[in-house]
Amino acid sequence: MRSALLLLGTLPLGLAALGGSGDTKTANPVAASPELARSAAVSSNDFFYTGGVIGSRPDGGGLPEGVEAQIRQALENVRGMLRAEGMDLSHVVRSNVFLTDTRHFQEMNAVYRTFFPEAPPTRATVRADLPLKGALVQVAMVAARPGVERTVVTPRGMRTPDLPYSWGILAGNTLFVAGATSRNPETYEPVGGDIATQTRQVLHNVGAVLAGAGMDYQDVTSCNVFLDDPRDFSAMNEVYATFFTADPPARATVRAGLMNPLFRAEIQCVAVRGDSRKVVVAEGAVRSTSPFSPAIQVGADLYLAGMVGRGPTGYAPGDVEAQTRQTLTNIQATLYTAEMSFADVSDIVAFVTDIRHAPAIENVIRELMPSPLPALTIVGSQLMSPDALVEIMMTAGRR
């Protein structure tokens, strides 16, 4: 079984605390205010996943004022979680930063840089709604466990980013690729143009990172696509499909505000080197015509696409609880096909169109999934289907 770390200060929804049993170990290295819910940070095979972490004070004093204080406290909270597992921030390979306001980007970066002065992890930073009123920033991270070799990948001909992130981090056989945008790789300057032009440049940049790690597009297992304008979805897909021509990676695509107004898309990927790569499709399921697979399995690890609550009769209109249940049913069927279950899930990211529905979504997840929960992040983002209220993406690993 995976190992879970229970903590306060990750999902600020005020729901019941989790318990632990069996061979799961529990700890509380990060105290926080009692109105914040507990959520697991999970060790699974080579990696340690945190849920969405906010900057709650460890003395129970709630949130500090201002984005600089909040990102500082959030990263201190992550540091405490890592320390309890015998790690530190140098083990982090991937970071997702969600800001409620793009104007906070530079302030956040100034603090973030002090925590990662050398060889920083890969990162994607987007604007999204957060579950707790007053929260300005939320971070979710993946760290390579002790003993897993961590190598920064800087492809030849690509300028080192001016911002505090690395293009790629290779941890064992897994490559984490930073959220790539439409930049000239040699100058780091933005490349403008329509969504087709920008998507092509983004994926060329991703390809350069893959090549730098001795991989190619066929090794990619999952991607997060963040679009500034959902009307660009179809045109983005047309270009995306030309790069992933056979058995494309699992994928989630949502609308999220990007940090530079010139950019129309940001794409973050994971790739795994291994001959056992295969597509997993639930029995009776029909694959989407969009260029993504429902799940990609490499060895013991399974990367699931962002799934929505469409059932045999369509969506339950306006019913977020029903859609969440159907989404989890769809995910469970895919897990079963891979001979896994919810107990093997390490990481959950839920995108919800109305952040006020976050407590309802978490309630359903807690009801249907075994405790302790996987690392859980919930953010508010517009989805590509106007009928979908929630999209859930998971990572699982068979032990």
Side-chain angles (χ1 to χ4, degrees), residues 140-181:
M141 295 189 169
V142 182
R145 293 193 55 75
V148 178
E149 185 177 359
R150 178 187 185 277
T151 304
V152 175
V153 177
T154 303
R156 181 178 300 177
M158 292 187 75
R159 177 175 165 177
T160 300
D162 295 333
L163 298 171
Y165 69 87
S166 298
W167 287 118
I169 298 286
L170 182 63
N173 290 327
T174 303
L175 174 68
F176 296 87
V177 182
T181 50

Side-chain angles (χ1 to χ4, degrees), residues 67-83:
V67 70
E68 291 182 344
Q70 288 193 23
I71 186 62
R72 183 176 293 107
Q73 187 60 62
L75 293 174
E76 288 292 356
N77 292 347
V78 171
R79 195 203 300 269
M81 296 157 61
L82 291 166
R83 187 179 296 123

